[in-house]
Amino acid sequence: MECQACGSENREGRRFCSECGASLASACPQCAFVNEPGEKFCGGCGVSLAPASAPGASNPETARTPTPSPRVDRKHEETEATRRQLTVMFCDLVGSTALSERLDPEELTELLAAYQDTCAAAINRFDGYIGRYVGDALLVYFSYPQAHEDDPQRAVRAGLGIVEAIGVLNAKLGQPGITLAVRIGISTGLVVVGDIGKGERREKSAIVGETPNLAARLQDLAEPNTIMIGATTHRLVEDLFICDELGPQQLKGISEPVAVYRVREESGVRDRFAATVRRGLTPLVGREEELNLLLRRWEQANDSEGQVVLLSGESGLGKSRTLRDFQERLQSELRNRVLYYCSPYHRDTPFYPVIDQLQRGLRFEKSDSVAQKLDRLDSVLSNLG
């Protein structure tokens, strides 16, 4: 038996090399798979590695040779199809054919790579999943493989992020006569997610249903650097974004007219609860104990005993609703409040809650220049003395 470490020959039966002391692996007599010393069955085919019994012996432990187990090729293991609600985004580059006529193939390749990287960065920020690239278009899933309670909102924010990032990319490229633009369609609905096809033609994590088709048709309807959404998506993000209602539209391949909305910008409402407050709230029920505790802590604070309260709980239990009721009960007493809001969309932005509160307090607009913001800051600080 040859040692794999030093090449020395050793007699059969040795477990360690007589020259260097290394373990002597044993090759399976049936499939030549190399097994570690002391292993009873081959890791390649399942055949027993025990020494053969002497003639006439009937020891079942040494004579048994199990049937080789079939190998499982993990590369071709299929994903089980699942039915789920998904928000699908279809993002397409405008005028790619014209670009291919004007640019050298290598220049076009670099340009498309920069475009895809820019889109991917905006999508990843909101935990979107790029299902596949279709030429210069991207098919993106929100709620797969990881689901969030606000996936439709994430999809729209990602779309707005892409449009903004493409503008920055154009300024960075600085190529005269070449301006990139995108069209985006977003739809929400039930789909089936799973692998389609066999062998090399198998498509992993494909989605089947009306939703991706509707997203593609909405994208066809969009003008450059605009976002179109369907009725279901609009209902789920209503009040969070300012949208233009375009009325029922007849889309190719869809029998009935579809209600279409064009997204313009964020409305400034912080979250779904704030949007619900605008439409009116039902009476609060079952939170008297928590409210009374908050009111007692407020009385202690008024008596110069500083208090800190942490109100925690699972999503949807009513934390924001409880605080809203608490603030309403103290409306006449609350003279000055400073509110900071964290955001899962800005987890990589240092001090975002502080920055956001200052921008809102100073009434900064996105269109304001740096000079306008400085003038506003100077004016507010002067009034404060």
Side-chain angles (χ1 to χ4, degrees):
M1 183 181 296
E2 182 179 348
C3 175
Q4 300 296 319
C6 67
S8 301
E9 285 292 330
N10 292 269
R11 62 178 174 80
E12 292 294 327
R14 291 191 64 91
R15 298 182 60 187
F16 298 91
C17 178
S18 60
E19 186 67 26
C20 67
S23 297
L24 296 173
S26 57
C28 173
Q30 180 160 315
C31 71
F33 182 89
V34 178
N35 297 277
E36 294 298 321
E39 292 182 336
K40 296 181 179 179
F41 295 95
C42 176
C45 65
V47 169
S48 173
L49 299 176
S53 301
S58 59
N59 186 341
E61 294 299 322
T62 58
R64 181 172 64 89
T65 302
T67 304
S69 303
R71 296 189 185 184
V72 178
D73 188 353
R74 297 295 177 188
K75 293 182 180 179
H76 298 284
E77 197 171 345
E78 295 190 3
T79 304
E80 184 179 354
T82 57
R83 180 183 176 94
R84 62 197 300 166
Q85 172 126 327
L86 217 64
T87 297
V88 179
M89 172 196 289
F90 204 91
C91 173
D92 192 22
L93 181 65
V94 177
S96 57
T97 303
L99 288 174
S100 65
E101 293 177 350
R102 299 179 57 183
L103 296 175
D104 179 83
E106 290 185 1
E107 292 178 329
L108 181 62
T109 300
E110 293 178 0
L111 188 67
L112 290 177
Y115 151 73
Q116 291 179 344
D117 290 344
T118 299
C119 293
I123 292 164
N124 291 336
R125 178 183 166 193
F126 296 98
D127 282 346
Y129 174 78
I130 301 176
R132 57 189 164 108
Y133 293 93
V134 187
D136 49 37
L138 292 82
L139 182 63
V140 186
Y141 312 153
F142 290 85
S143 195
Y144 178 87
Q146 181 180 0
H148 308 84
E149 64 176 347
D150 56 350
D151 279 306
Q153 181 186 155
R154 288 172 179 265
V156 176
R157 291 185 185 278
L160 291 171
I162 289 174
V163 172
E164 183 178 351
I166 289 296
V168 175
L169 177 62
N170 283 324
K172 187 183 300 183
L173 293 174
Q175 297 191 27
I178 295 179
T179 303
L180 301 182
V182 292
R183 287 192 296 256
I184 297 175
I186 299 174
S187 178
T188 303
L190 287 174
V191 299
V192 172
V193 184
D195 297 350
I196 296 179
K198 297 292 182 182
E200 294 182 354
R201 300 187 64 180
R202 182 167 60 96
E203 181 182 347
K204 288 187 67 64
S205 303
I207 56 175
V208 178
E210 182 186 12
T211 304
N213 298 330
L214 179 56
R217 296 308 177 201
L218 290 170
Q219 176 271 138
D220 290 338
L221 197 64
E223 297 175 356
N225 288 333
T226 60
I227 303 165
M228 297 295 190
I229 62 176
T232 303
T233 306
H234 178 261
R235 178 173 53 82
L236 294 170
V237 302
E238 192 175 6
D239 293 330
L240 296 171
F241 302 92
I242 298 174
C243 300
D244 298 325
E245 185 176 357
L246 304 183
Q249 302 287 323
Q250 190 66 56
L251 303 180
K252 183 180 178 181
I254 299 177
S255 58
E256 297 294 330
V258 175
V260 178
Y261 300 83
R262 178 173 53 229
V263 179
R264 280 200 284 162
E265 59 185 352
E266 296 182 35
S267 66
V269 177
R270 294 181 185 275
D271 51 32
R272 289 289 296 171
F273 177 75
T276 304
V277 170
R278 283 187 170 187
R279 295 192 295 269
L281 298 171
T282 57
L284 181 65
V285 177
R287 288 284 178 255
E288 286 302 318
E289 183 177 348
E290 289 84 355
L291 281 169
N292 288 333
L293 176 61
L294 290 171
L295 291 169
R296 288 196 299 272
R297 294 294 176 264
W298 174 253
E299 291 173 0
Q300 290 176 284
N302 280 334
D303 291 336
S304 301
E305 297 180 26
Q307 299 294 315
V308 174
V309 177
L310 171 64
L311 181 61
S312 63
E314 294 294 329
S315 176
L317 282 182
K319 301 182 296 297
S320 299
R321 183 69 175 86
T322 301
L323 287 177
R324 174 80 182 185
D325 225 62
F326 169 66
Q327 292 174 17
E328 287 180 350
R329 295 194 185 193
L330 300 175
Q331 194 65 42
S332 60
E333 299 182 53
L334 292 176
R335 297 180 181 85
N336 188 20
R337 292 173 296 165
V338 181
L339 305 176
Y340 295 98
Y341 292 85
C342 295
S343 167
Y345 316 125
H346 300 88
R347 59 191 176 195
D348 296 324
T349 303
F351 301 109
Y352 168 77
V354 180
I355 294 170
D356 178 64
Q357 193 274 338
L358 286 172
Q359 289 178 334
R360 289 174 181 270
L362 294 168
R363 293 183 173 85
F364 285 169
E365 300 291 341
K366 281 190 175 181
S367 58
D368 289 347
S369 65
V370 173
Q372 288 174 317
K373 291 179 180 179
L374 284 172
D375 288 342
R376 178 65 182 165
L377 178 61
D378 184 61
S379 173
V380 170
L381 292 177
S382 297
N383 292 335
L384 291 174

